[in-house]
Structure formats: structure tokens, C-alpha cells
Amino acid sequence: MIQQDHLQIFDLTLNVWAPLFVGNGSSYTKKEYMYNTRNGKVSFLDEQKFFSFLVEHDLVDKYGQFMLSEQSNLWAFLTKDCGISDAELKTLTRYQIEVGDALDAEHSLKEIHAFQRDAQGHAYIPGSSIKGALRTAWLLNAVLADRSTGHSLEQNRRAAFPEETYVNQLHLHGSIASDAVNSIFRGIQVSDSAPIPDAQMVLVGKFDALVNGSFAKGSNRGIPMCRECAASGTKVRFKLTLDQSVLKGRITKESLLEAIQQFDTYYEQTYSRHFTPPRGAVNLPQQPHLILGGGSGFFAKSLAYPYLGEEKGLRWTAEQMKQMFRNHKHERDAENGISPHTMKYARFRGRLYPYGYCGVSIL
């Protein structure tokens, strides 16, 4: 830790235990990337270099025919139909990552959801993602400490809980308690992460597992998309700054670590215990964890259960799921004892990992 008057600056390390997806909202269709079946890697084009190459080699019309055809493997088209070497193609790409078993050369390729990358093309995790996860853990701790669960959310179906009760506590002059200006989380800053090397990025598929360990209908072979993820075993580093002139000791390094521990315990006792791990699921380290990013599921991002209490939280969540996903049989969630009734898994090299499990160290 570095102490600068009221500022406490820590090194925060995210230990990725299961594939972690932090998307940028974009995706690649089957014809927009190259899957090299020889080396098991997928490459993403530098569009400007690629189209200049097509013009220089009089391949624009041929490429147009490919885009209109049923053929979907761009790498096969460029190497076999156009006679372009792998060495030449490498000069036209921005980066490449390992495919694992997310794509199968014998079947149709899949849409790829892209990871967050900076202007230089480096994968990274925005600090806001970590701050949001720390916020959820700390708020869970605050809600459970309050012990006044069983509230109602019927007047505001989208709200997780009244923010001002737990967060907007600064009571700054001239502003009201419900104003976000009063949020004590103004005293917490998390930097964007250091770049994640492409060698630590992988493609993974997505599977929905039911409470009995089987896969949801249509998910036994995976959903027809895959995600660009930070691989299990990756360490991602950030700077965490606590401004005690704002926090005044209400949030400390110790209280954040305690909140992560409590989040881990609550998640296990209230949610994951309902699910039988599917065949091939890995045993993750028995250490306090946060659950981050896409695929981590509703429960990891919502405080409806601790705020409402488990029984009312189950009914409320099941109703939200039923409204959002009308064909997914969420009306039966109360019978299963948990809602949502699926857990999201990523598959890599034949093993299944629940999405986004990460350990956190703060030094």
C-alpha cells in the first residue's frame, strides 16, 4: 500500500479461476475471422490492411462472391481458393488466440463475442467492472448487516433495493439523500487493468446447466456462439485507491476483503448449492471469490434475495425471469427452489467452468 495523506493506494490482483468474459458489445460473424485448423487458432483481421491487400491483388470481386456464398470459412477461402500463405495472412491480422474446442472444423463456425480492447488492440478489463463487483459484495454485506429484509419491490420492478439507504450517505450540503452525488463510492477508484497478453486469451463455448446437472434443452452441444475470454490461471492487475477523506473509514481494504468473503459464502449457501455440477465440471479453489463479467448470471449481480429475503426473493426473481424469458419455463422456478434455474458454464479443452469465478488479493 502507498499512503498519500488521505489516499490509500493498493495493488489489486484478480486471479482468474474460470474463463472471464468482459465484452465490448461487438461480435464477429462466421465470415469475419479466420479459423486456422492447422494451428487451432483464430485470427482477427486488420480491416484496413486486409482490404488494401484485396485491391492490390485484384481479389475484391472474388471476395465479394465469397461473402454472398454459403461458404463460411474465411481462412479456407483465402488459403485454398486464393492461394495466400499463412505467413502472408499473419501480416493482415491484428491478433490471434487459441480456439480450444469452441470451434469445430467439421461443423458450422460460430459467432464470436469480442472481449474489451483498447485503442492499441490490447485486451483489458475496465476498472468500472471491478468497482461494480466490489460494490455488489459490499452492499450485500450492508444489506445482511441491516437484517431488515422482506421489503417490497412491487412499486419499482427494475430496482434491486433503495440505493440511498446503504450508499448515498454523504449528506453533502445542498443535495438530497437520494442523489448519487452523496454516494460513498465516490471515494473508491479502480484503474483499468494492465493489458492481458493474447497468449492468455481463449475462445470458449457457453452451456446452460439445470439444477440436476443436465443441460437445458438445446444446450447439450453448446449455444451457437462463443466468447473471447481471459483464460483460467490469468492474473490481472489494477490500482485500487481509497479516498478516506470521503470514506472516513467506512470502507477499508479489510472491509472489502470481508465483504468478498461474505459474498462467497452467501452465493454458495443461497444459490450454487441448488445445482449439481454437470459431468466434466472442474473443482475450483475453495477460496473467497467474486463472480464477474458476462455469463456470470443474474444472481451474482442482483441483491433481490438478501434484500427481500430468500422466499420473497425467489418469487420476485422468478417473476422477472418469466417476463424477460417467456419460453424458458421460469414459472417452475419456485418448484426448483431457485431462480434463475440455470447456471452458465464455459467449456475449454473438454472441461466445464462456471463463468467468471475470480479470486481477489489487495496488497
Side-chain angles (χ1 to χ4, degrees), residues 114-318:
F115 201 87
Q116 184 75 47
R117 289 182 178 265
D118 63 20
Q120 289 73 45
H122 301 131
Y124 79 101
I125 299 174
S128 57
S129 297
I130 306 304
K131 183 174 178 179
L134 292 174
R135 175 193 182 92
T136 299
W138 186 88
L139 287 168
L140 172 69
N141 195 8
V143 171
L144 294 179
D146 182 27
R147 298 189 182 281
S148 56
T149 59
H151 306 285
S152 173
L153 294 179
E154 293 178 1
Q155 299 304 313
N156 187 354
R157 299 173 66 86
R158 293 184 177 275
F161 57 94
E163 186 90 351
E164 59 269 22
T165 301
Y166 304 100
V167 177
N168 298 340
Q169 299 178 4
L170 296 184
H171 307 299
L172 297 178
H173 179 70
S175 59
I176 59 176
S178 60
D179 195 326
V181 169
N182 284 302
S183 171
I184 62 173
F185 279 88
R186 291 177 57 194
I188 298 179
Q189 298 296 325
V190 183
S191 72
D192 291 342
S193 77
I196 304 172
D198 289 328
Q200 295 175 2
M201 301 295 296
V202 296
L203 285 187
V204 300
K206 178 177 175 288
F207 295 77
D208 291 342
L210 301 172
V211 292
N212 63 4
S214 66
F215 293 111
K217 184 178 180 181
S219 178
N220 59 317
R221 291 189 176 182
I223 293 170
M225 52 77 72
C226 53
R227 289 167 166 159
E228 184 185 1
C229 292
S232 177
T234 301
K235 293 184 181 297
V236 190
R237 293 176 171 82
F238 306 79
K239 288 293 183 183
L240 168 68
T241 302
L242 303 182
D243 184 349
Q244 292 301 342
S245 70
V246 175
L247 301 173
K248 301 188 184 304
R250 286 175 287 190
I251 298 179
T252 64
K253 165 193 167 181
E254 290 74 22
S255 69
L256 287 175
L257 291 172
E258 180 183 343
I260 292 170
Q261 172 71 70
Q262 189 163 28
F263 173 89
D264 177 87
T265 301
Y266 190 83
Y267 185 87
E268 168 61 32
Q269 293 178 349
T270 308
Y271 184 68
S272 65
R273 71 175 180 84
H274 291 274
F275 293 85
T276 299
R279 176 180 291 184
V282 299
N283 293 318
L284 296 174
Q286 296 298 310
Q287 299 175 25
H289 64 268
L290 288 174
I291 303 176
L292 305 170
S296 57
F298 178 88
F299 192 94
K301 299 174 182 178
S302 167
L303 294 173
Y305 275 84
Y307 181 65
L308 297 174
E310 290 186 33
E311 183 178 343
K312 189 181 290 185
L314 170 58
R315 295 199 306 268
W316 184 87
T317 303

Side-chain angles (χ1 to χ4, degrees), residues 31-75:
K31 296 190 177 188
E32 292 179 324
Y33 60 86
M34 297 184 292
Y35 172 31
N36 186 333
T37 56
R38 294 174 188 155
N39 64 11
K41 293 186 177 181
V42 65
S43 299
F44 299 92
L45 291 165
D46 181 316
E47 289 84 359
Q48 184 173 350
K49 289 182 179 179
F50 177 65
F51 286 109
S52 294
F53 181 90
L54 294 179
V55 172
E56 291 171 8
H57 292 79
D58 197 24
L59 292 171
V60 173
D61 290 342
K62 198 169 188 177
Y63 176 71
Q65 292 170 8
F66 162 76
M67 292 299 292
L68 295 173
S69 72
E70 294 184 0
Q71 184 181 3
S72 62
N73 192 319
L74 179 59
W75 175 78

